[in-house]
Amino acid sequence: MDRPVEPLAMTFHQHAWRAALSAAVLVVSAPLLVAASEHWHDGRPVLLATGLGWLAVTVLMPFLALKGTRSGVVRFTASATLWGAGTVLAGAFPTATVGPVPFPHLAHAVSLAGLAYIAFQQLRHARVAGDDQPLLVEASLFATVMAALSWDVFGRTGHVGDGWWQASASLVVLIASFVAASAVVLAVEHGALRLACFGLGLAAVATEVTAVTAAHSPRAADVAVLLALVGGLLLLVFQPRGGFVRHGGVAVTQAARRLRLAVTLPGAAMLLDIAVNTVDPRVDGLLSAYYGAAIVAAAVRQAATARAIDRTRQTLSFQAQHDPLTGLQNRTALADALVEPDRTQSLVILEVSGLDDVTDVLGVAVGEDVLRAAAANLREHVTPLDGTTYRVRHDEFAVLLPGSPDESVRHLPHVLAAVSAAPLQVPGAGRFPVAAVAGVARVDPGARAAGDATLPLVHADLALRDARSNPGLLGWSVYSGAVAAQHARRLLVRERLASAVAEGCIDVHFQPIVDFTTGRVVKFEALARWDDRELGRVSPVEFVAVAEESNLVVALGEHVLRRAVSTAHAAGVFDAEVRLAVNVSVVQLQSPGFAEVVREILSGYRISAHLLTLELTESVFLDSDSPAERVVTELARLGCQIAIDDFGTGYSAFGYLDRLPVHVLKIDRSLTQSLTGEGNGRSVVTAVVDLANNLGLTVVVEGVETDEEAAICRSMRAGLGQGWLYSAAVTSDRIISELEREYPVSPEAVR
Ligand code: C2E
Ligand code: CA
Ligand code: CA
C-alpha cells in the first residue's frame, strides 16, 4: 500500500497529547514528591536495590543495542532513565501511606484513558498500514504492558469489588482479547512469528485472568502471573531479531512514531504507578517479577526498534547520496560537496552521447552496462588525480578535480577518452561509438560566502551547452565571460523573439529558385526575417536555433507558413504555377496537429498542395518509425512536396530515400562552394545529382554565386539552382517582378 512518507516531525494531535500528558504527570507527581519526602525513612533497602538494578539494565540496554547515532543514544538513554528512575521511586516508597484521597480515581481515569488511546492508535496504524501485520504485534505488546500496569494500579489501590473495579476489569478483558486474537491471526499468517505470538497471547490472557481473580482467589492469580511471565519470556526470546520494523521509507516513519509512543506513555504510566504505590502500597513478589519482565520486554523492544530505525536511516542516507546503477555518488552528494568547498576545484560536467543507439538496438541492460563501464573508467582515471566522480543525470557525469580549470583541463582528453572507451568493454556494444562533451567551471572556497553554492553547476551547464553547440571546441568548454555573454544573449533573443512572434513582427522574404536551363523562376523559398527594435537585424540561423530550444519554433513556424502562403497567394505566385518552399523544423513536425494546420491553410486559400514544398533536414529521418516520419508521410499524402534541405552536410544516410516520400534534394552550399575548388567536391556533387536523377528526385543546388558554378551544375544535369547569382531573398513587393524575370542562361560548362 502506497502512502506518502510522513516527515518525522510530530503531528498536531501528538503535540496536544503530549502536552496533556505532561500536565497530568505534573499534577500527579507534584503532591507525591511532597508526600514522598515525608516518608523517605520507610524506604525498603531491598526494593531500592531492585529498582537500581532495573535502572542499570534500562540505561545500559539502549547503549548495547544502538551503536552509532548520537542523538538516538541520547534519546533512548533519556527515556530509559525515566523508566529506571520510576522503578527506583516505586521501590523506594512501597510502604508510604498518605491516607484516603480521591487520587486513585484520577489515576484510574488517566491510566484507562492512556490505555484506550494506545490501543486505538495502534489499531489505527495497523489498519492503515494494511499488509503490515507486524504492527499488530507492536500493538499487542503495548496493550499487554499497559494492561499489566493498569491492573497493577487497580490492585494496589485496593479497588476491588466496587463499580470501578468491574469497569476496569472488563476493559482489561477487552484489550486482552484483542491481543490474543491478533496473536492468533499473526501466528496463522506468519509461521516464523508463531512462538512469539503464542507468548504474547499467553501473557495477555494470563494478565486478564490475574486481573479478574486477584481479589477473590489469590492462588489462581499467582498461577496466572507465572503464566504471564512465561508468555513474556517466550515473546522476548522468539521475537524476530531486529524487531518487526521493515526497512524502507514508510517503515522508518512508522517506527519513529511507535518509538515516540514507547518513550512517552510507559514512562507516564510508570509515574502514575509510583503515585498510586505511594498512596496505598501492596507488595507482591510475583507481581514485581512480572512487572520487571514487562519493563525489560518493552525496553528491549524499544532498543530493537531504535536499531532498526538507525539501520534504515543509514541505508536511506547512503541511498540518498549514491546512484544505484553505477555506485557513484549522486547529484545530492555533489550539491553537498559544493556547499563548503575547502579549496579551489574544477567542476566538470560530462554529457554522454550515443547511449540511445546502444539502448535502442541492444536493449536497456546493455545500455546500463555501458554506463557502468563508463563510470568505472572515469573513477579509475579521476581517483588518482585526487578527484571525485558523480553521476548527476541519466547520461551525465560530474567530476570534481582539484585545482583551477586552467590546471585541470589538461586531464580532460583522458577523462573524455575514458568515457568513449566504455562500449569496447561491453560485449557487442563496441560498434556503437559513445562520446562525451564537457563543461568546466571553477569552484571557489569562498563560494558559500558569495551566496549560491549551486552556481558552479549552473556555470558548468552553460559551458557544456557551449561545448555542445561548438564542435570546434574539441569536446569541452570552460565557463568564462564569453560563455556567460552568449547565454545572456540567448536569453535576450528568446525573450524578444517570444514577443515578436506573438505580435506577428517576423517578416518573410522570398528567394527565387531558378531552372538552370530556361532561366525562369519556378519556386520561391520563404525565409524568415526579423528586425528587432533593440537587437537590430537577427539572423535566422541564430533565432531559429533559440526558438528550437524553447518550443517557440512551433508558433514561429506556423506564423511564417501562414504569412508566406498568404503573401505568395496575393502576389499571384500560385496562379503562375510557381511553387513555394517553406522551412520546417523537426520540433514543429513533432508538434501535434501540424499536418492539420497545413491542410487548413491550403484549403483556406484554395491552393493545390503540390505547389507547397516543405523543407526538412535529414535529422527528421534518422529515427525510423518516429512520429515525425508519420507526419511526413501524411503531408506527402496530402500532396505536398518534401525536400531534404542541406543535403550533403549531415549523415547522408540514403536509406530513408526509398522508404519515405521525398521529392526534392537540396544540395548544401558548402558542396556548391567545393565545385570549383581543388578537392573531390565535384565528384561528390556529380554522384549526388546522378543519384537524385536516377531516383526521379528534383535537385536544387543551393548557394550558386557564380556563372562558373551554374555552368558546372548545368553540365551535371542538375535541375534547379538557388543563390545570389540569381537573387538574394526579396521582399514581398518584388515577388511579381521576379515572376516575370528570365535569368540569362550562361554558355557551356567550364571543362
Ligand atoms: P536554408 O534553409 O539553407 O536557407 C538558405 C540560406 O542560404 C538563407 O540564409 C539564404 O539567405 C542563404 N543563401 C541564399 N543564397 C545564398 C548564396 O548564394 N550564398 C550564400 N552564402 N548564402 C545564400 P538565411 O535566410 O540566413 O537562413 C538561414 C537558415 O535559417 C536557413 O537555411 C534555414 O535553415 C533557417 N530558416 C530561415 N527561415 C526559416 C523558417 O521560416 N523556419 C525554419 N525552421 N528555419 C528557417
Ligand atoms: Ca531551406
Ligand atoms: Ca539549405
Side-chain angles (χ1 to χ4, degrees):
M1 193 170 181
D2 274 348
R3 282 196 303 148
V5 177
E6 291 172 28
L8 286 178
M10 282 191 290
T11 59
F12 170 75
H13 85 245
Q14 280 170 317
H15 271 296
W17 167 242
R18 276 204 162 189
L21 199 72
S22 317
V25 168
L26 266 180
V27 167
V28 172
S29 52
L32 279 173
L33 281 177
V34 177
S37 61
E38 291 170 17
H39 294 279
W40 182 254
H41 59 275
D42 295 335
R44 286 197 194 171
V46 177
L47 280 171
L48 183 64
T50 316
L52 280 173
W54 287 129
L55 178 67
V57 171
T58 46
V59 168
L60 275 178
M61 195 73 71
F63 277 114
L64 298 178
L66 264 180
K67 294 192 196 91
T69 55
R70 241 181 47 230
S71 68
V73 172
V74 169
R75 200 140 25 98
F76 288 105
T77 310
S79 69
T81 309
L82 180 68
W83 282 40
T87 317
V88 173
L89 282 172
F93 314 115
T95 54
T97 310
V98 189
V101 281
F103 199 61
H105 298 290
L106 180 65
H108 253 127
V110 176
S111 163
L112 286 178
L115 192 59
Y117 175 82
I118 293 181
F120 166 73
Q121 280 292 324
Q122 294 289 359
L123 256 182
R124 208 187 59 146
H125 291 160
R127 256 239 324 271
V128 173
D131 57 343
D132 197 353
Q133 290 287 1
L135 266 177
L136 278 177
V137 177
E138 304 278 341
S140 313
L141 184 73
F142 278 114
T144 316
V145 172
M146 295 313 290
L149 287 176
S150 61
W151 162 67
D152 181 27
V153 169
F154 309 142
R156 284 165 193 248
T157 50
H159 271 267
V160 282
D162 67 3
W164 270 103
W165 171 243
Q166 300 297 348
S168 51
S170 337
L171 194 71
V172 174
V173 168
L174 197 75
I175 290 163
S177 325
F178 154 67
V179 172
S182 61
V184 171
V185 170
L186 266 174
V188 170
E189 289 195 359
H190 302 268
L193 298 180
R194 212 156 278 165
L195 273 172
C197 292
F198 175 71
L200 187 65
L202 183 63
V205 175
T207 306
E208 172 191 344
V209 172
T210 317
V212 179
T213 56
H216 312 293
S217 81
R219 200 163 297 163
D222 285 350
V223 173
V225 165
L226 255 181
L227 285 177
L229 195 58
V230 171
L233 278 175
L234 278 176
L235 174 62
L236 255 184
V237 175
F238 291 105
Q239 75 172 324
R241 263 195 299 156
F244 295 107
V245 182
R246 278 181 316 169
H247 285 223
V250 175
V252 82
T253 52
Q254 282 168 349
R257 194 161 45 208
R258 272 173 270 160
L259 209 55
R260 249 179 256 126
L261 279 172
V263 169
T264 317
L265 292 168
M270 179 69 103
L271 275 176
L272 248 174
D273 190 48
I274 297 161
V276 174
N277 197 7
T278 313
V279 173
D280 188 2
R282 191 196 126 205
V283 182
D284 180 319
L286 275 175
L287 175 73
S288 300
Y290 173 71
Y291 196 32
I295 292 175
V296 173
V300 168
R301 193 71 215 88
Q302 203 179 343
T305 306
R307 194 160 63 171
I309 288 181
D310 200 33
R311 249 191 268 130
T312 307
R313 281 224 176 95
Q314 278 169 12
T315 313
L316 288 180
S317 83
F318 182 86
Q319 284 169 358
Q321 300 267 324
H322 288 79
D323 163 46
L325 181 70
T326 60
L328 295 179
Q329 297 188 65
N330 63 12
R331 196 179 182 86
T332 314
L334 174 61
D336 288 352
L338 292 177
V339 168
E340 250 163 310
D342 50 358
R343 53 187 171 167
T344 298
Q345 285 164 299
S346 305
L347 171 64
V348 183
I349 305 252
L350 289 153
E351 186 187 63
V352 184
S353 61
L355 270 178
D356 284 353
D357 294 346
V358 180
T359 308
D360 288 351
V361 179
L362 301 174
V364 175
V366 181
E368 290 183 348
D369 284 347
V370 172
L371 266 175
R372 262 193 290 266
N377 291 353
L378 266 178
R379 180 150 47 185
E380 208 172 284
H381 257 88
V382 167
T383 312
L385 302 173
D386 196 19
T388 322
T389 314
Y390 305 83
R391 179 170 179 229
V392 289
R393 270 194 213 127
H394 170 67
D395 52 359
E396 261 180 48
F397 293 103
V399 171
L400 267 180
L401 288 171
S404 71
D406 290 342
E407 292 156 21
S408 54
V409 285
R410 65 195 157 94
H411 301 302
L412 279 186
H414 306 290
V415 171
L416 295 178
V419 175
S420 315
L424 302 173
Q425 290 153 290
V426 177
R431 58 205 151 104
F432 295 96
V434 159
V437 279
V440 189
R442 190 187 171 90
V443 181
D444 273 321
R448 188 157 187 204
D452 192 356
T454 60
L455 215 54
L457 274 173
V458 176
H459 289 171
D461 264 337
L462 289 179
L464 175 67
R465 215 197 258 223
D466 186 45
R468 214 191 284 138
S469 54
N470 287 307
L473 291 176
L474 297 173
W476 75 80
S477 164
V478 177
Y479 177 80
S480 65
V483 172
Q486 262 173 32
H487 178 63
R489 164 84 183 179
R490 258 199 309 265
L491 289 183
L492 182 62
V493 168
R494 188 188 305 176
E495 190 197 330
R496 302 288 311 160
L497 182 65
S499 26
V501 170
E503 291 159 16
C505 299
I506 306 290
D507 202 4
V508 178
H509 286 192
F510 297 83
Q511 185 174 34
I513 297 175
V514 176
D515 186 318
F516 275 129
T517 46
T518 64
R520 299 217 53 120
V521 174
V522 294
K523 194 187 248 189
F524 287 99
E525 177 175 0
L527 292 165
R529 291 290 176 263
W530 178 30
D531 280 305
D532 184 68
R533 257 180 284 127
E534 280 179 29
L535 301 171
R537 167 155 290 206
V538 185
S539 153
V541 178
E542 181 179 8
F543 71 76
V544 169
V546 169
E548 279 179 337
E549 275 172 7
S550 65
N551 228 19
L552 205 60
V553 78
V554 175
L556 171 70
E558 190 177 330
H559 167 80
V560 170
L561 181 64
R562 280 182 197 283
R563 178 163 290 192
V565 170
S566 81
T567 310
H569 176 74
V573 169
F574 302 116
D575 292 338
E577 281 290 309
V578 168
R579 301 173 195 258
L580 173 71
V582 179
N583 293 288
V584 175
S585 122
V586 190
V587 187
Q588 214 180 334
L589 210 58
Q590 284 163 341
S591 71
F594 178 69
E596 199 37 56
V597 169
V598 173
R599 194 201 317 265
E600 179 242 309
I601 293 175
L602 287 175
S603 67
Y605 291 96
R606 298 171 192 275
I607 296 167
S608 164
H610 79 278
L611 292 175
L612 180 66
T613 305
L614 302 168
E615 297 195 356
L616 313 169
T617 53
E618 274 183 309
S619 58
V620 173
F621 303 105
L622 287 184
D623 205 358
S624 65
D625 218 31
S626 71
E629 272 203 21
R630 282 194 288 280
V631 180
V632 171
T633 312
E634 201 181 332
L635 290 167
R637 218 176 279 142
L638 257 179
C640 296
Q641 296 224 308
I642 305 296
I644 305 298
D645 208 347
D646 304 341
F647 192 82
T649 50
Y651 308 84
S652 303
F654 303 99
Y656 58 84
L657 288 179
D658 62 30
R659 193 175 74 234
L660 282 161
V662 171
H663 309 94
V664 182
L665 279 193
K666 297 192 75 175
I667 296 177
D668 190 68
R669 51 176 186 274
S670 58
L671 281 183
T672 313
Q673 271 157 21
S674 71
L675 279 179
T676 47
E678 291 286 291
N680 299 331
R682 200 160 166 169
S683 342
V684 173
V685 179
T686 310
V688 173
V689 171
D690 284 347
L691 171 85
N693 285 340
N694 287 336
L695 290 172
L697 307 179
T698 306
V699 172
V700 179
V701 181
E702 293 188 289
V704 181
E705 295 180 357
T706 62
D707 277 326
E708 190 187 3
E709 286 165 356
I712 296 172
C713 293
R714 207 173 300 115
S715 75
M716 288 174 176
R717 296 195 301 119
L720 307 177
Q722 172 182 6
W724 295 340
L725 171 66
Y726 305 109
S727 166
V730 299
T731 49
S732 55
D733 51 346
R734 284 179 48 203
I735 294 179
I736 294 177
S737 60
E738 282 299 322
L739 275 177
E740 287 161 356
R741 187 153 177 179
E742 201 166 313
Y743 285 99
V745 176
S746 64
E748 262 325 290
V750 186
R751 267 186 299 143

